[in-house]
Amino acid sequence: MRAAVLRAVVGALALLVVMVYARVARPQLLSPGPLSKAHASIEGDQHCNDCHSSGKRVDQGACLKCHNDLGARIAAGKGLHGLQYKGKPCENCHVEHLGAPALMRWPGGDPSKLDHTLTGWPLNGAHKNTLCAKCHTSHNARGNPTFLGLSSACVPCHKDQHDGRFGLACLTCHNESAWKDVTLKTFNHDLARFALRGAHQTVACVKCHFEPPKYTGLKFAVCTDCHKDPHEGRLGPACTDCHEDTRWKPVMFTHAGAKHPGTSLANGHASVTCKACHDRGNLVSPSKGKECVSCHKPVHKAPFGRACASCHASILWLGLPASVGLAAHPRTDYPLTGKHESVKCAGCHKPETPRDARYRQLAFGRCADCHEDQHRGEFANKDKGECQPCHTTAGFYPTLFSVVAHTATRFPLLGMHTASPCLSCHKAQRPRLDLRVAKRACADCHANPHGDQFAKEMAQGGCGHCHEPNGWSLPKIDHSIWPLTGVHATAQCDSCHHPTPEDRKAGNGASYRGVPRNCGGCHDDVHLGQFRLTRPVLECDRCHTTAAFKIPGFDHQAVTGWALTGSHAPLECAKCHPMTNLAGQRSTNRWRLPSHECKFCHANPHEPRASL
């Protein structure tokens, strides 16, 4: 009994120890061993179902769920796993719970002993001795090293020395043992920068690429880079103008496509046979010489020289571009200037005119040889009707007929007339102006604002009797009948000569006849009739002058006959002449006093005082 109890207690204690230990080191309780470093993140009993399923040791689907990149390769039947281990348990090679860093059991025991043919890409040539790490340097999406994803093409690992010109099939020419071991029997030369055509297809490679072979830095831009020029450069570098690459002979020289050295065979020369010029053989210069004048007689009278090709390089006698004619025209008897430079050649050298008359016998001595007289003979008697005195080739307008030239006419331009446009007097429409104007009096062009005021003067000399052409507002008036003095000399004319109601009604200007000459005719009477309505009547000039209305010094005795003496001398004028309303009008100083007696201003101090 005691032994049974003791066993029960020991069992309970053992269970308690196991339970406590399980809480402290739970992964060690049921796991057969620690996971590898790659699977350390799923260590622990709670992750067992991540890889194991009920009744199975390892679930392969669970492995490929994480290693989906490998799963795609297996599904496609590619690589080592897709070709050799498809459907086989992962744990046959990838052993876990050993705690070692390595997770794989390599066939043969080491990666270097793997038969690479099992991956679908056998290692041949120099690849057999290449270390695995030299090619397998990739990492997967989880950041771990991987052997997947490498291409079997050459370019991803090796630099393409041809920069893609020959495509990616390097093994067409090269092998895996050595890059310099080249097989060119199947090389497509059309991929190179010099495609083989004609006789070049049968030339041995060593003929152009030498021995040892050289494939870069070869010159082939022109034929003479490889072939000797039997013409020693006389016919230029373009051999294909006469020869083809199939054979050197016969020569295919045609006038239409040939690039003849020295002389063009275009147009007029196209129908000339070789023998007509090359009398000593086709490869020898003609005995007559190489210049145009060697065969052609000069036809120009102008000093154009012997360089015919400067104008006729296209072997055309007529129909040359306008630019050629413009460049040569300065050496003719009629250089083109001004507007003539933009005139089409056919405008002067008319095609319907016979050839000799069209160029050599063309008349150009006078403007009328080409241009119609817009003035219809109006100036036929002046300079023989020539246009140059008034016009230039720069343009018909504006003319050279200046103000100075106008002085030779019956109406010289003076004053403001010099700024008037021609059309203001010569009214006809362009292009022909009526330059003969019969009316030359002022009133023929200008309105008379004075009506009949100056009928006499108009009959004697017109507006010029008072006005000058320098300006309407600068009249030459003899004002001696009523001399202008003082401020009158600087006053505006219209301040005195302004239109009357009758003038305005008649549409006339200011009145100059009948203007009042006394002061009151223009100026207001500020004294309200004191010197006008009482005797003796005094004019304004008795006290005032035209220099200024204010009187600078008033001689009281000379003007009034009553001298200011004693205490009267320093008194202000207003002491005796106060402001007063006169006859119900506005206030003004009372200058005319009713009496000079003392009692008028002063009280009599000697009269008895009234008794109080």
Side-chain angles (χ1 to χ4, degrees), residues 318-550:
L318 300 176
L320 297 176
S323 58
V324 174
L326 290 174
H329 229 286
R331 287 180 284 179
T332 67
D333 291 336
Y334 191 78
L336 298 181
T337 59
K339 294 288 186 179
H340 289 154
E341 293 181 347
S342 58
V343 176
K344 293 183 179 180
C345 300
C348 298
H349 305 285
K350 301 185 182 299
E352 62 271 15
T353 307
R355 182 177 298 179
D356 287 341
R358 192 186 316 168
Y359 295 100
R360 299 188 186 91
Q361 301 174 13
L362 188 66
F364 55 85
R366 303 178 68 250
C367 300
D369 290 335
C370 295
H371 299 280
E372 181 183 354
D373 181 10
Q374 297 294 333
H375 303 296
R376 301 175 186 175
E378 201 172 315
F379 301 101
N381 295 329
K382 185 175 178 59
D383 298 320
K384 297 182 180 181
E386 270 306 288
C387 306
Q388 287 93 337
C390 298
H391 304 282
T392 68
T393 58
F396 192 77
Y397 305 105
T399 69
L400 298 179
F401 194 81
S402 63
V403 173
V404 176
H406 218 284
T407 58
T409 68
R410 288 178 293 176
F411 190 82
L413 297 181
L414 302 173
M416 300 297 289
H417 288 149
T418 60
S420 298
C422 302
L423 288 175
S424 62
C425 298
H426 304 283
K427 302 292 186 179
Q429 295 182 351
R430 296 175 187 267
R432 182 181 180 276
L433 299 179
D434 185 5
L435 300 179
R436 294 181 178 179
V437 180
K439 298 179 179 180
R440 293 184 293 277
C442 300
D444 291 336
C445 295
H446 302 281
N448 181 5
H450 305 302
D452 297 330
Q453 294 184 65
F454 301 102
K456 179 181 178 181
E457 287 80 357
M458 291 294 289
Q460 293 176 351
C463 303
H465 191 82
C466 297
H467 297 280
E468 293 183 353
N470 289 329
W472 179 260
S473 61
L474 301 173
K476 49 179 183 178
I477 303 298
D478 182 10
H479 225 283
S480 59
I481 299 175
W482 198 77
L484 299 177
T485 60
V487 295
H488 289 155
T490 59
Q492 294 289 337
C493 299
D494 57 2
S495 62
C496 297
H497 302 283
H498 46 268
T500 63
E502 292 76 12
D503 291 331
R504 293 192 182 95
K505 187 175 181 180
N508 296 330
S511 298
Y512 291 91
R513 291 272 167 88
V515 177
R517 299 181 181 180
N518 60 336
C519 301
C522 294
H523 301 281
D524 293 337
D525 182 4
V526 298
H527 305 307
L528 302 181
Q530 294 180 64
F531 303 104
R532 191 168 39 85
L533 303 177
T534 60
R535 294 187 180 276
V537 175
L538 300 178
E539 293 295 333
C540 300
D541 57 359
R542 182 65 179 269
C543 299
H544 300 279
T545 67
T546 58
F549 185 77
K550 291 184 178 181

Side-chain angles (χ1 to χ4, degrees), residues 149 205 260 297 404 436 520:
C205 301
H260 194 275
K297 180 181 178 180
V404 176
R436 294 181 178 179

Side-chain angles (χ1 to χ4, degrees), residues 10 15 59 75 99 118 125 176 208 222 238 272 286 319 347 365 369 372 375 446 502 515 545 565:
V10 171
L15 180 60
D59 187 353
L118 300 177
E176 298 179 70
C208 299
V222 293
V272 178
D369 290 335
E372 181 183 354
H375 303 296
H446 302 281
E502 292 76 12
V515 177
T545 67
T565 59

Side-chain angles (χ1 to χ4, degrees), residues 48-382:
C48 293
N49 291 333
D50 291 351
C51 300
H52 301 278
S53 61
S54 179
K56 295 183 179 180
R57 296 176 62 190
V58 176
D59 187 353
Q60 187 175 0
C63 296
L64 298 180
K65 183 178 180 181
C66 290
H67 300 278
N68 51 4
D69 50 351
L70 181 59
R73 299 279 290 175
I74 294 175
K78 295 181 179 180
L80 179 64
H81 292 82
L83 294 173
Q84 308 299 329
Y85 301 108
K86 186 175 183 178
K88 296 181 179 181
C90 300
E91 63 270 20
N92 287 352
C93 297
H94 301 280
V95 182
E96 265 297 356
H97 294 292
L98 297 179
L103 186 61
M104 293 177 283
R105 291 178 177 173
W106 287 91
D110 187 82
S112 60
K113 297 179 180 179
L114 173 68
D115 183 3
H116 214 278
T117 306
L118 300 177
T119 67
W121 196 68
L123 298 180
N124 300 317
H127 289 146
K128 293 180 179 180
N129 301 322
T130 303
L131 297 176
C132 301
K134 188 73 174 180
C135 298
H136 296 285
T137 59
S138 303
H139 289 75
N140 58 25
R142 295 177 297 279
N144 297 322
T146 181
F147 292 90
L148 305 178
L150 286 185
S151 172
S152 58
C154 303
V155 174
C157 292
H158 301 279
K159 181 180 179 181
D160 182 6
Q161 300 293 335
H162 308 298
D163 297 326
R165 294 194 305 272
F166 303 145
L168 300 178
C170 304
L171 295 178
T172 303
C173 301
H174 303 276
N175 58 50
E176 298 179 70
S177 297
W179 175 257
K180 293 184 178 180
D181 293 342
V182 182
T183 302
L184 299 176
K185 292 182 179 180
T186 59
F187 177 68
N188 182 8
H189 218 283
D190 288 346
L191 299 176
R193 286 180 292 178
F194 185 83
L196 299 181
R197 297 289 183 268
H200 290 144
Q201 296 177 350
T202 59
V203 176
C205 301
V206 69
K207 191 73 173 178
C208 299
H209 295 283
F210 313 112
E211 185 64 41
K214 180 182 180 181
Y215 299 101
T216 58
L218 298 177
K219 294 182 178 181
F220 54 86
V222 293
C223 300
T224 53
D225 287 335
C226 295
H227 302 278
K228 182 180 179 181
D229 181 8
H231 309 299
E232 298 178 351
R234 295 192 303 271
L235 303 182
C239 303
T240 54
D241 288 344
C242 301
H243 303 277
E244 61 179 5
D245 52 9
T246 302
R247 53 186 175 175
W248 180 254
K249 294 182 179 180
V251 177
M252 298 181 302
F253 185 87
T254 60
H255 286 75
K259 295 181 180 179
H260 194 275
T263 303
S264 172
L265 297 183
N267 298 314
H269 286 165
S271 59
V272 178
T273 62
C274 301
K275 292 182 179 180
C277 298
H278 294 280
D279 53 348
R280 298 185 297 179
N282 292 341
L283 301 181
V284 183
S285 298
S287 60
K288 296 179 181 180
K290 300 179 180 180
E291 294 184 292
C292 299
V293 294
S294 300
C295 298
H296 303 280
K297 180 181 178 180
V299 296
H300 297 296
K301 294 182 179 180
F304 291 153
R306 299 165 63 91
C308 305
S310 61
C311 295
H312 302 281
S314 55
I315 318 302
L316 282 175
W317 177 246
L318 300 176
L320 297 176
S323 58
V324 174
L326 290 174
H329 229 286
R331 287 180 284 179
T332 67
D333 291 336
Y334 191 78
L336 298 181
T337 59
K339 294 288 186 179
H340 289 154
E341 293 181 347
S342 58
V343 176
K344 293 183 179 180
C345 300
C348 298
H349 305 285
K350 301 185 182 299
E352 62 271 15
T353 307
R355 182 177 298 179
D356 287 341
R358 192 186 316 168
Y359 295 100
R360 299 188 186 91
Q361 301 174 13
L362 188 66
F364 55 85
R366 303 178 68 250
C367 300
D369 290 335
C370 295
H371 299 280
E372 181 183 354
D373 181 10
Q374 297 294 333
H375 303 296
R376 301 175 186 175
E378 201 172 315
F379 301 101
N381 295 329
K382 185 175 178 59

